[in-house]
Amino acid sequence: MSNDTTFKALVVEETSDGEFKKSIQERKVSDLPENDLLIEVHYSSLNFKDAMSATGNKRITKQYPHTPGIDAAGVVVSDKSGTFSAGQEVLVFGYDLGMDTDGGLGQMISIPADWALPCPETLTLKEAMTYGTGGLTAALSVQKLEKMGAKPSDGPVAVTGATGGVGTISIAILKQLGYEVIAFSGKPEQSEHLKELGASEVRHRDTINEIGNKPVGRELWANAIDTIGGDYLSNLLKQTKAGGAVTSCGLAGGAEFSMTVMPFITRAVSLLGIDSVYIPLADKEAIWQRVATDMKLPNLESYGEEITLEQTPEYLDRFMSSKVVGRYIVNVKG
């Protein structure tokens, strides 16, 4: 493939007045960074981090113009490292993709070879992006609860941010593995949808905070997956059963939270951090094998909406206005 070969990409640019605009532009392969692995992207997906990059969040992306997209699924064009063969289907999640390295919302990416994984044989590229980073985070959250000893007979698992990408996949995976799920959401109109995904009960997210400033409350769930942060995280911990655990992977409700140590020292509750970006490649490969086997969900098409590359500016705005429901899979190749 020539360096003059052109492709389409979402490009975010900073204007002279400090605003950020999104548009679909034609780029050349020569515009990409010099790396070993060149991939033709077929599918990507949208995540909150992509939306932050697309609105000019300098904690996510320092330099503009930039192409977001922390997920990519595609076919190898060439690999100077010899790790992959031309035509091989691969997946890329996290590391610097879509942050300061042009990401999966472009039809071509150039990355270090050790950022990519072979696509499991039991998953298509589109199916892999139906999970995406959101699904990967959900799977890691469930797995971490399991490693702490969680089992379905312990009692229900609470899931916050239930209508988001991590929340919806978490509910479905937990249900498939035999867990009872209590879903918390700020979108009551989505209650029936969440029950269809596997939630046995749907509550408004603000009911978590009814405990107020009490150091601990009634033990209402055995374990929890939190995607929001802030007061929701602290109050989930206060109402978790003795010996249970809460995973943390999001901050839409705030990056800070305040509480006493009482749940930790009187109930042995654990707070578990989830990182889907910089975990070792071997660990990513291992969790993807579970996603492709015992965590593989039937009717995957029902968990996400397929959109075009041209629709991504509009859909990225939904994340910033809290209008996200489920996963958005981008058909990048078209």
Side-chain angles (χ1 to χ4, degrees):
M1 179 175 290
S2 165
N3 282 343
D4 291 331
T5 300
T6 60
F7 63 92
K8 292 193 299 182
L10 172 71
V11 178
V12 181
E13 298 175 289
E14 185 172 7
T15 65
S16 58
D17 57 358
E19 298 295 317
F20 291 84
K21 65 176 184 179
K22 303 182 288 291
S23 62
I24 306 302
Q25 299 183 16
E26 192 171 272
R27 304 191 67 202
K28 293 182 178 180
V29 170
S30 58
D31 295 330
L32 297 173
E34 287 282 344
N35 285 305
D36 284 341
L37 184 59
L38 183 64
I39 299 170
E40 179 187 59
V41 179
H42 289 201
Y43 290 93
S44 184
S45 71
L46 300 187
N47 300 277
F48 187 62
K49 189 176 286 185
D50 300 322
M52 289 193 291
S53 173
T55 53
N57 189 316
K58 296 295 181 73
R59 292 177 299 168
I60 304 298
T61 301
K62 298 178 180 64
Q63 299 293 327
Y64 294 84
H66 174 67
T67 294
I70 62 173
D71 294 343
V75 174
V76 173
V77 176
S78 61
D79 181 10
K80 297 174 186 176
S81 76
T83 306
F84 298 99
S85 303
Q88 187 172 357
E89 293 186 343
V90 293
L91 309 176
V92 191
F93 303 94
Y95 302 111
D96 192 54
L97 185 74
M99 297 175 71
D100 281 308
T101 299
D102 285 333
L105 297 180
Q107 293 175 328
M108 302 291 294
I109 57 173
S110 175
I111 61 169
D114 59 3
W115 289 6
L117 293 168
C119 184
E121 292 182 0
T122 55
L123 287 177
T124 65
L125 294 176
K126 181 180 176 181
E127 287 175 335
M129 286 297 101
T130 303
Y131 290 97
T133 288
L136 173 64
T137 304
L140 287 168
S141 298
V142 174
Q143 179 173 265
K144 203 152 193 178
L145 290 177
E146 291 176 336
K147 288 182 176 179
M148 292 296 292
K151 50 189 183 299
S153 59
D154 294 338
V157 179
V159 177
T160 64
T163 60
V166 179
T168 54
I169 301 296
S170 293
I171 292 168
I173 290 176
L174 286 165
K175 175 64 174 178
Q176 177 154 303
L177 296 178
Y179 291 85
E180 178 187 351
V181 182
I182 302 173
F184 288 92
S185 171
K187 301 181 177 73
E189 70 277 8
Q190 295 294 326
S191 293
E192 287 307 311
H193 172 62
L194 294 174
K195 289 180 179 179
E196 290 171 2
L197 292 176
S200 60
E201 184 179 352
V202 180
R203 303 178 188 176
H204 196 282
R205 66 185 182 191
D206 290 344
T207 61
I208 298 171
N209 295 332
E210 289 176 356
I211 184 176
N213 294 322
K214 295 179 182 178
V216 291
R218 292 173 53 210
E219 299 176 54
L220 299 179
W221 35 81
N223 298 282
I225 293 174
D226 177 58
T227 72
I228 304 178
D231 290 341
Y232 297 99
L233 175 56
S234 60
N235 291 325
L236 272 175
L237 289 158
K238 294 176 187 179
Q239 298 170 92
T240 298
K241 292 183 179 181
V246 178
T247 66
S248 173
C249 65
L251 47 65
E256 299 180 359
F257 68 102
S258 176
M259 62 182 297
T260 73
V261 299
M262 296 303 289
F264 307 118
I265 64 176
T266 66
R267 291 181 177 169
V269 171
S270 299
L271 174 59
L272 310 174
I274 302 298
D275 169 34
S276 60
V277 180
Y278 294 109
I279 61 171
L281 194 64
D283 292 344
K284 283 189 179 180
E285 189 162 12
I287 193 63
W288 271 102
Q289 288 306 316
R290 289 201 65 187
V291 169
T293 52
D294 67 311
M295 287 184 176
K296 185 175 182 182
L297 302 171
N299 304 315
L300 263 175
E301 65 277 1
S302 66
Y303 295 92
E305 177 184 351
E306 181 175 328
I307 64 173
T308 65
L309 187 61
E310 286 73 17
Q311 289 176 287
T312 54
E314 170 198 346
Y315 276 70
L316 284 167
D317 289 341
R318 294 189 182 189
F319 285 84
M320 308 311 294
S321 56
S322 298
K323 294 180 180 178
V324 173
V325 177
R327 300 278 301 143
Y328 300 120
I329 303 97
V330 185
N331 186 339
V332 179
K333 186 178 179 183

Coordinates of all heavy atoms in Angstrom, one line a residue, residues 36-124:
D36 N 5.1 -0.3 13.3 CA 5.3 -1.5 12.6 C 4.0 -2.0 11.9 O 4.0 -2.6 10.9 CB 5.8 -2.6 13.5 CG 7.3 -2.5 13.8 OD1 8.0 -1.7 13.1 OD2 7.7 -3.0 14.8
L37 N 2.9 -1.9 12.6 CA 1.6 -2.6 12.2 C 0.6 -1.6 11.6 O 0.2 -0.6 12.2 CB 1.0 -3.2 13.4 CG -0.2 -4.1 13.2 CD1 0.0 -5.2 12.2 CD2 -0.7 -4.7 14.5
L38 N 0.3 -1.9 10.3 CA -0.7 -1.1 9.6 C -2.0 -1.9 9.4 O -1.9 -3.0 8.9 CB -0.2 -0.7 8.2 CG -1.1 0.3 7.4 CD1 -1.2 1.6 8.0 CD2 -0.5 0.4 6.0
I39 N -3.1 -1.4 9.9 CA -4.4 -2.1 9.9 C -5.4 -1.3 9.1 O -5.6 -0.1 9.3 CB -4.8 -2.3 11.3 CG1 -3.8 -3.2 12.1 CG2 -6.2 -3.0 11.4 CD1 -4.1 -3.2 13.6
E40 N -6.2 -2.0 8.3 CA -7.4 -1.5 7.7 C -8.5 -1.7 8.7 O -8.9 -2.9 9.0 CB -7.7 -2.1 6.4 CG -9.0 -1.6 5.7 CD -9.4 -2.4 4.5 OE1 -9.6 -3.6 4.6 OE2 -9.5 -1.8 3.4
V41 N -9.1 -0.7 9.2 CA -10.2 -0.8 10.2 C -11.5 -1.1 9.6 O -11.9 -0.4 8.7 CB -10.3 0.5 11.1 CG1 -11.4 0.3 12.1 CG2 -8.9 0.7 11.8
H42 N -12.2 -2.1 10.0 CA -13.5 -2.4 9.5 C -14.6 -1.9 10.5 O -15.6 -1.4 10.0 CB -13.7 -3.9 9.3 CG -12.9 -4.5 8.1 ND1 -13.2 -5.6 7.5 CD2 -11.8 -3.9 7.5 CE1 -12.3 -5.9 6.5 NE2 -11.5 -4.8 6.5
Y43 N -14.4 -2.1 11.8 CA -15.4 -1.7 12.8 C -14.7 -1.0 14.0 O -13.5 -1.4 14.3 CB -16.2 -2.9 13.3 CG -17.2 -3.4 12.3 CD1 -16.8 -4.5 11.5 CD2 -18.4 -2.9 12.2 CE1 -17.7 -5.0 10.6 CE2 -19.3 -3.4 11.3 CZ -19.0 -4.5 10.5 OH -19.8 -5.0 9.6
S44 N -15.3 -0.1 14.6 CA -14.9 0.5 15.8 C -16.2 0.6 16.7 O -17.2 0.1 16.4 CB -14.3 1.9 15.6 OG -13.8 2.4 16.8
S45 N -16.0 1.2 17.9 CA -17.2 1.5 18.7 C -17.0 2.8 19.4 O -15.9 3.3 19.5 CB -17.4 0.3 19.7 OG -16.4 0.3 20.7
L46 N -18.1 3.3 20.0 CA -18.0 4.6 20.7 C -17.9 4.4 22.2 O -18.7 3.6 22.7 CB -19.1 5.5 20.3 CG -19.3 5.9 18.8 CD1 -20.4 6.9 18.6 CD2 -17.9 6.4 18.3
N47 N -17.1 5.2 22.9 CA -16.9 5.1 24.3 C -16.9 6.5 24.9 O -16.6 7.5 24.1 CB -15.6 4.4 24.7 CG -15.6 2.9 24.2 OD1 -16.2 2.0 24.8 ND2 -15.0 2.7 23.0
F48 N -17.1 6.6 26.2 CA -17.1 8.0 26.8 C -15.8 8.7 26.6 O -15.7 9.9 26.4 CB -17.4 7.8 28.3 CG -17.6 9.1 29.0 CD1 -18.6 10.0 28.6 CD2 -16.8 9.5 30.0 CE1 -18.8 11.2 29.3 CE2 -17.0 10.7 30.7 CZ -18.0 11.6 30.3
K49 N -14.7 7.9 26.6 CA -13.4 8.5 26.4 C -13.2 9.1 25.0 O -12.6 10.1 24.8 CB -12.3 7.5 26.7 CG -10.9 8.0 26.7 CD -9.8 7.0 27.0 CE -9.9 6.6 28.5 NZ -8.8 5.7 28.9
D50 N -13.9 8.5 24.0 CA -13.9 9.0 22.7 C -14.6 10.4 22.6 O -14.1 11.3 22.0 CB -14.5 8.1 21.7 CG -13.9 6.7 21.6 OD1 -12.6 6.7 21.7 OD2 -14.6 5.7 21.5
A51 N -15.7 10.4 23.4 CA -16.5 11.7 23.4 C -15.7 12.8 24.1 O -15.7 13.9 23.6 CB -17.8 11.5 24.2
M52 N -14.9 12.4 25.2 CA -14.1 13.5 25.8 C -13.0 13.9 24.9 O -12.7 15.1 24.8 CB -13.5 12.9 27.1 CG -14.6 12.7 28.2 SD -13.9 12.4 29.8 CE -13.2 10.7 29.6
S53 N -12.4 13.0 24.2 CA -11.3 13.4 23.2 C -11.9 14.3 22.1 O -11.3 15.3 21.7 CB -10.7 12.2 22.5 OG -9.8 12.5 21.5
A54 N -13.1 14.0 21.7 CA -13.8 14.7 20.6 C -14.3 16.1 21.0 O -14.6 16.9 20.2 CB -15.0 13.9 20.0
T55 N -14.3 16.4 22.3 CA -14.7 17.7 22.8 C -13.5 18.5 23.3 O -13.7 19.6 23.9 CB -15.7 17.6 23.9 OG1 -15.3 16.7 25.0 CG2 -17.1 17.0 23.4
G56 N -12.3 18.0 23.0 CA -11.1 18.7 23.4 C -10.6 18.6 24.8 O -9.9 19.5 25.3
N57 N -10.9 17.5 25.4 CA -10.4 17.2 26.8 C -8.9 16.9 26.7 O -8.5 15.9 26.3 CB -11.1 16.1 27.4 CG -10.8 15.9 28.9 OD1 -9.7 16.0 29.3 ND2 -11.8 15.7 29.7
K58 N -8.1 17.9 27.2 CA -6.6 17.8 27.0 C -6.0 16.7 28.0 O -4.8 16.4 27.9 CB -5.9 19.2 27.3 CG -6.3 20.2 26.2 CD -5.8 19.8 24.8 CE -6.1 20.9 23.8 NZ -5.3 22.1 23.8
R59 N -6.8 16.2 28.9 CA -6.3 15.1 29.8 C -6.3 13.8 29.0 O -5.6 12.9 29.3 CB -7.2 15.0 31.0 CG -7.0 16.1 32.0 CD -8.0 15.9 33.2 NE -9.4 15.9 32.7 CZ -10.4 15.5 33.5 NH1 -10.2 15.1 34.7 NH2 -11.6 15.5 33.0
I60 N -7.2 13.8 28.0 CA -7.3 12.6 27.1 C -6.4 12.7 25.9 O -5.6 11.8 25.6 CB -8.7 12.4 26.7 CG1 -9.7 12.3 27.9 CG2 -8.8 11.1 25.8 CD1 -9.3 11.1 28.8
T61 N -6.5 13.8 25.2 CA -5.8 14.1 24.0 C -5.1 15.4 24.1 O -5.7 16.5 24.2 CB -6.7 14.0 22.7 OG1 -7.3 12.7 22.7 CG2 -5.9 14.3 21.5
K62 N -3.8 15.4 23.9 CA -3.0 16.7 24.1 C -2.9 17.5 22.8 O -2.8 18.7 22.8 CB -1.6 16.4 24.6 CG -1.6 15.7 26.0 CD -0.2 15.4 26.5 CE -0.2 14.7 27.8 NZ -0.9 13.4 27.8
Q63 N -2.8 16.8 21.7 CA -2.5 17.5 20.4 C -3.7 17.3 19.4 O -4.2 16.1 19.2 CB -1.2 16.9 19.8 CG 0.0 17.2 20.7 CD 0.4 18.6 20.8 OE1 0.2 19.4 19.9 NE2 0.9 19.0 21.9
Y64 N -4.1 18.3 18.8 CA -5.1 18.3 17.7 C -4.5 19.0 16.5 O -3.6 19.8 16.6 CB -6.3 19.1 18.2 CG -7.0 18.4 19.3 CD1 -6.6 18.6 20.6 CD2 -8.1 17.5 19.1 CE1 -7.3 18.0 21.7 CE2 -8.8 16.9 20.1 CZ -8.3 17.1 21.4 OH -9.0 16.5 22.5
P65 N -4.9 18.6 15.2 CA -6.0 17.7 14.9 C -5.8 16.3 15.3 O -4.6 15.8 15.4 CB -6.1 17.8 13.3 CG -5.3 19.0 13.0 CD -4.3 19.2 14.0
H66 N -6.9 15.5 15.5 CA -6.8 14.2 16.1 C -7.9 13.3 15.6 O -9.1 13.9 15.5 CB -6.7 14.2 17.6 CG -6.7 12.9 18.3 ND1 -5.7 12.0 18.1 CD2 -7.7 12.3 19.1 CE1 -6.0 10.9 18.8 NE2 -7.2 11.1 19.4
T67 N -7.7 12.0 15.5 CA -8.8 11.1 15.2 C -9.0 10.2 16.4 O -8.1 9.4 16.8 CB -8.4 10.2 14.0 OG1 -8.4 11.0 12.8 CG2 -9.5 9.1 13.8
P68 N -10.2 10.3 17.1 CA -10.4 9.5 18.3 C -10.7 8.0 17.9 O -10.7 7.7 16.7 CB -11.7 10.1 18.9 CG -11.8 11.5 18.2 CD -11.2 11.3 16.9
G69 N -11.0 7.2 18.9 CA -11.4 5.8 18.7 C -10.4 4.9 19.4 O -9.4 4.5 18.9
I70 N -10.8 4.5 20.7 CA -9.9 3.7 21.5 C -10.1 2.2 21.2 O -9.4 1.4 21.7 CB -10.2 3.9 23.0 CG1 -11.6 3.6 23.4 CG2 -9.8 5.4 23.4 CD1 -11.8 3.6 24.9
D71 N -11.1 1.9 20.3 CA -11.3 0.5 19.8 C -11.1 0.4 18.3 O -11.4 1.3 17.6 CB -12.7 0.1 20.1 CG -13.1 0.0 21.6 OD1 -12.1 0.0 22.4 OD2 -14.3 0.0 21.9
A72 N -10.6 -0.7 17.9 CA -10.5 -1.0 16.4 C -10.5 -2.5 16.2 O -9.9 -3.3 16.9 CB -9.3 -0.4 15.8
A73 N -11.2 -2.9 15.1 CA -11.2 -4.3 14.7 C -11.1 -4.3 13.2 O -11.8 -3.6 12.5 CB -12.5 -5.0 15.0
G74 N -10.0 -5.0 12.7 CA -9.8 -4.9 11.2 C -8.9 -6.0 10.7 O -8.7 -7.0 11.4
V75 N -8.3 -5.7 9.6 CA -7.4 -6.7 8.9 C -6.0 -6.1 8.7 O -5.9 -4.9 8.3 CB -8.1 -7.0 7.5 CG1 -7.1 -7.9 6.7 CG2 -9.4 -7.7 7.7
V76 N -5.0 -6.9 9.0 CA -3.6 -6.4 8.8 C -3.3 -6.2 7.4 O -3.6 -7.0 6.5 CB -2.7 -7.5 9.4 CG1 -1.2 -7.1 9.1 CG2 -2.9 -7.7 10.9
V77 N -2.8 -5.0 7.1 CA -2.2 -4.6 5.8 C -0.8 -5.1 5.7 O -0.4 -5.7 4.7 CB -2.4 -3.1 5.5 CG1 -1.7 -2.8 4.2 CG2 -3.9 -2.7 5.5
S78 N 0.0 -4.7 6.7 CA 1.4 -5.1 6.8 C 1.9 -5.0 8.2 O 1.3 -4.3 9.0 CB 2.3 -4.2 5.9 OG 2.2 -2.8 6.3
D79 N 2.9 -5.8 8.5 CA 3.5 -5.8 9.8 C 5.0 -6.0 9.7 O 5.5 -7.1 9.4 CB 2.9 -6.9 10.7 CG 3.5 -6.9 12.1 OD1 4.2 -6.0 12.5 OD2 3.2 -7.9 12.8
K80 N 5.8 -4.9 10.0 CA 7.2 -5.0 9.9 C 7.9 -5.9 11.0 O 9.0 -6.3 10.8 CB 7.8 -3.6 9.9 CG 7.4 -2.7 8.8 CD 7.9 -1.2 9.0 CE 7.4 -0.3 8.0 NZ 7.8 1.1 8.3
S81 N 7.1 -6.1 12.1 CA 7.7 -6.9 13.2 C 7.6 -8.4 12.9 O 8.2 -9.2 13.6 CB 6.9 -6.6 14.5 OG 5.6 -7.2 14.5
G82 N 6.7 -8.8 12.0 CA 6.5 -10.2 11.7 C 5.6 -10.9 12.6 O 5.5 -12.1 12.6
T83 N 5.0 -10.1 13.5 CA 4.0 -10.8 14.5 C 2.8 -11.3 13.8 O 2.3 -12.3 14.2 CB 3.7 -9.7 15.6 OG1 4.9 -9.2 16.2 CG2 2.8 -10.4 16.7
F84 N 2.3 -10.5 12.9 CA 1.0 -10.8 12.2 C 1.2 -11.0 10.7 O 2.2 -10.4 10.2 CB -0.1 -9.7 12.5 CG -0.4 -9.6 13.9 CD1 0.2 -8.5 14.7 CD2 -1.3 -10.4 14.6 CE1 -0.1 -8.4 16.0 CE2 -1.6 -10.3 15.9 CZ -1.0 -9.3 16.6
S85 N 0.3 -11.7 10.1 CA 0.3 -11.9 8.6 C -0.7 -10.9 7.9 O -1.7 -10.6 8.5 CB 0.0 -13.3 8.3 OG 0.9 -14.2 8.9
A86 N -0.3 -10.5 6.7 CA -1.3 -9.7 6.0 C -2.6 -10.5 5.8 O -2.6 -11.7 5.5 CB -0.7 -9.4 4.6
G87 N -3.7 -9.8 6.0 CA -5.0 -10.4 5.9 C -5.5 -11.0 7.2 O -6.7 -11.3 7.3
Q88 N -4.7 -11.0 8.3 CA -5.2 -11.6 9.5 C -6.1 -10.6 10.3 O -5.9 -9.4 10.3 CB -3.9 -11.9 10.4 CG -4.3 -12.6 11.7 CD -3.0 -13.0 12.5 OE1 -1.9 -12.8 12.0 NE2 -3.2 -13.6 13.6
E89 N -7.1 -11.1 10.9 CA -8.1 -10.3 11.6 C -7.6 -10.0 13.0 O -7.2 -11.0 13.7 CB -9.5 -10.9 11.7 CG -10.1 -11.0 10.3 CD -11.6 -11.5 10.4 OE1 -11.9 -12.1 11.5 OE2 -12.3 -11.3 9.4
V90 N -7.5 -8.7 13.4 CA -7.0 -8.4 14.7 C -7.9 -7.4 15.4 O -8.7 -6.7 14.8 CB -5.6 -7.8 14.6 CG1 -4.6 -8.8 14.1 CG2 -5.6 -6.6 13.6
L91 N -7.7 -7.3 16.7 CA -8.4 -6.4 17.6 C -7.4 -5.5 18.3 O -6.3 -5.9 18.7 CB -9.3 -7.2 18.6 CG -10.2 -8.3 18.1 CD1 -10.8 -9.0 19.3 CD2 -11.2 -7.7 17.1
V92 N -7.8 -4.2 18.6 CA -7.0 -3.3 19.3 C -7.9 -2.6 20.3 O -8.9 -2.0 19.9 CB -6.3 -2.3 18.4 CG1 -5.3 -1.5 19.2 CG2 -5.7 -2.9 17.2
F93 N -7.5 -2.6 21.6 CA -8.2 -1.9 22.7 C -7.2 -1.2 23.6 O -6.2 -1.8 24.0 CB -9.0 -2.9 23.5 CG -10.0 -3.7 22.8 CD1 -9.6 -5.0 22.3 CD2 -11.2 -3.3 22.5 CE1 -10.5 -5.8 21.6 CE2 -12.1 -4.0 21.8 CZ -11.7 -5.3 21.3
G94 N -7.4 0.1 23.8 CA -6.6 0.8 24.8 C -5.2 1.1 24.4 O -5.0 1.4 23.2
Y95 N -4.3 1.1 25.4 CA -3.0 1.7 25.2 C -3.2 3.1 24.8 O -4.0 3.8 25.3 CB -2.1 0.8 24.3 CG -2.0 -0.6 24.8 CD1 -2.6 -1.7 24.1 CD2 -1.3 -0.9 26.0 CE1 -2.5 -3.0 24.6 CE2 -1.2 -2.2 26.5 CZ -1.8 -3.2 25.8 OH -1.7 -4.5 26.3
D96 N -2.4 3.6 23.8 CA -2.6 5.0 23.5 C -3.5 5.2 22.3 O -3.7 6.4 21.8 CB -1.2 5.6 23.2 CG -1.2 7.1 23.1 OD1 -1.7 7.8 24.0 OD2 -0.8 7.7 22.0
L97 N -4.1 4.2 21.8 CA -5.0 4.3 20.6 C -6.1 5.2 20.9 O -6.8 5.1 21.9 CB -5.5 2.9 20.2 CG -6.4 2.9 18.9 CD1 -5.5 3.1 17.7 CD2 -7.2 1.6 18.8
G98 N -6.3 6.2 20.0 CA -7.4 7.1 20.1 C -7.2 8.2 21.2 O -8.1 9.1 21.4
M99 N -6.1 8.2 21.8 CA -5.7 9.2 22.8 C -4.8 10.2 22.2 O -5.2 11.3 21.7 CB -5.2 8.6 24.1 CG -6.2 7.7 24.8 SD -5.6 6.8 26.2 CE -5.4 8.1 27.4
D100 N -3.5 9.9 22.1 CA -2.6 10.8 21.3 C -2.1 10.1 20.0 O -1.3 10.6 19.3 CB -1.4 11.2 22.2 CG -1.8 12.4 23.1 OD1 -2.4 13.4 22.6 OD2 -1.6 12.3 24.3
T101 N -2.5 8.8 19.8 CA -2.3 8.1 18.6 C -3.6 8.0 17.8 O -4.6 7.6 18.4 CB -1.8 6.7 18.9 OG1 -0.5 6.8 19.6 CG2 -1.5 5.9 17.6
D102 N -3.6 8.4 16.5 CA -4.9 8.4 15.8 C -5.5 7.0 15.9 O -4.9 6.0 15.7 CB -4.6 8.7 14.3 CG -4.3 10.2 14.1 OD1 -4.8 11.0 14.9 OD2 -3.6 10.6 13.2
G103 N -6.9 7.1 16.1 CA -7.6 5.9 16.5 C -8.5 5.3 15.5 O -8.5 5.6 14.3
G104 N -9.4 4.4 16.1 CA -10.2 3.5 15.2 C -11.3 4.2 14.5 O -12.0 3.5 13.8
L105 N -11.6 5.5 14.7 CA -12.6 6.2 13.9 C -12.0 6.7 12.6 O -12.4 7.7 12.1 CB -13.2 7.3 14.7 CG -14.0 6.8 16.0 CD1 -14.6 7.9 16.7 CD2 -15.1 5.7 15.6
G106 N -11.0 6.0 12.1 CA -10.4 6.2 10.8 C -10.3 4.9 10.1 O -10.1 3.8 10.8
Q107 N -10.3 4.8 8.8 CA -10.3 3.6 8.1 C -8.9 2.9 8.1 O -8.8 1.7 7.7 CB -10.8 3.8 6.7 CG -12.2 4.2 6.6 CD -12.7 4.5 5.2 OE1 -11.9 5.1 4.4 NE2 -13.9 4.2 4.9
M108 N -7.9 3.6 8.5 CA -6.5 3.0 8.7 C -5.9 3.5 10.0 O -6.1 4.6 10.4 CB -5.6 3.5 7.5 CG -6.1 3.1 6.1 SD -6.1 1.4 5.7 CE -4.3 1.1 5.7
I109 N -5.2 2.6 10.6 CA -4.4 2.9 11.8 C -3.0 2.3 11.7 O -2.8 1.3 11.1 CB -5.1 2.5 13.2 CG1 -5.3 1.0 13.2 CG2 -6.4 3.2 13.4 CD1 -5.8 0.4 14.5
S110 N -2.0 3.0 12.3 CA -0.7 2.5 12.4 C -0.3 2.5 13.8 O -0.2 3.5 14.5 CB 0.3 3.5 11.6 OG 1.6 3.1 11.7
I111 N 0.1 1.3 14.4 CA 0.3 1.1 15.8 C 1.5 0.2 16.0 O 1.9 -0.6 15.1 CB -0.9 0.5 16.5 CG1 -1.3 -0.8 15.9 CG2 -2.1 1.5 16.4 CD1 -2.3 -1.6 16.7
P112 N 2.0 0.2 17.2 CA 3.0 -0.9 17.6 C 2.3 -2.3 17.6 O 1.2 -2.4 17.9 CB 3.4 -0.5 19.0 CG 3.1 0.9 19.2 CD 1.9 1.2 18.3
A113 N 3.1 -3.3 17.1 CA 2.5 -4.6 17.0 C 2.0 -5.2 18.3 O 1.1 -6.0 18.3 CB 3.5 -5.6 16.3
D114 N 2.6 -4.8 19.4 CA 2.2 -5.4 20.7 C 1.0 -4.7 21.3 O 0.7 -4.9 22.5 CB 3.4 -5.4 21.7 CG 3.9 -4.0 22.0 OD1 3.4 -3.0 21.5 OD2 4.9 -3.9 22.7
W115 N 0.3 -3.9 20.6 CA -1.0 -3.4 21.0 C -2.2 -4.3 20.5 O -3.3 -4.1 20.9 CB -1.3 -2.0 20.5 CG -0.4 -0.9 21.1 CD1 0.6 -1.1 22.0 CD2 -0.5 0.5 20.9 NE1 1.1 0.1 22.4 CE2 0.5 1.1 21.7 CE3 -1.3 1.3 20.1 CZ2 0.6 2.5 21.7 CZ3 -1.2 2.7 20.1 CH2 -0.2 3.3 20.9
A116 N -1.9 -5.1 19.5 CA -3.0 -5.9 18.8 C -3.1 -7.3 19.3 O -2.1 -7.9 19.8 CB -2.7 -5.8 17.3
L117 N -4.3 -7.9 19.2 CA -4.6 -9.3 19.5 C -5.2 -9.9 18.3 O -6.0 -9.3 17.5 CB -5.6 -9.3 20.6 CG -5.2 -8.9 22.0 CD1 -6.5 -8.8 22.9 CD2 -4.2 -9.9 22.6
P118 N -5.0 -11.2 18.1 CA -5.7 -11.9 17.0 C -7.2 -12.0 17.4 O -7.5 -12.1 18.6 CB -5.1 -13.3 17.0 CG -3.8 -13.2 17.8 CD -4.0 -12.1 18.7
C119 N -8.1 -11.8 16.5 CA -9.5 -11.9 16.8 C -9.9 -13.4 17.0 O -9.5 -14.2 16.2 CB -10.4 -11.4 15.7 SG -12.1 -11.3 16.0
P120 N -10.5 -13.7 18.2 CA -10.9 -15.1 18.4 C -11.7 -15.7 17.3 O -12.6 -14.9 16.7 CB -11.7 -15.0 19.7 CG -11.2 -13.8 20.4 CD -10.9 -12.8 19.3
E121 N -11.5 -16.9 17.0 CA -12.2 -17.5 15.8 C -13.7 -17.5 16.0 O -14.5 -17.6 15.0 CB -11.7 -19.0 15.6 CG -10.3 -19.0 15.1 CD -9.8 -20.4 14.9 OE1 -10.6 -21.4 15.1 OE2 -8.6 -20.6 14.5
T122 N -14.2 -17.5 17.2 CA -15.6 -17.6 17.5 C -16.3 -16.3 17.5 O -17.5 -16.1 17.8 CB -15.9 -18.3 18.8 OG1 -15.2 -17.7 19.9 CG2 -15.5 -19.8 18.7
L123 N -15.6 -15.2 17.2 CA -16.1 -13.9 17.1 C -15.8 -13.2 15.8 O -14.7 -13.3 15.2 CB -15.5 -12.9 18.2 CG -15.9 -13.1 19.7 CD1 -15.1 -12.2 20.5 CD2 -17.4 -12.9 19.9
T124 N -16.9 -12.6 15.2 CA -16.6 -11.8 14.0 C -16.1 -10.4 14.5 O -16.1 -10.1 15.6 CB -17.9 -11.5 13.2 OG1 -18.8 -10.8 14.0 CG2 -18.6 -12.9 12.9

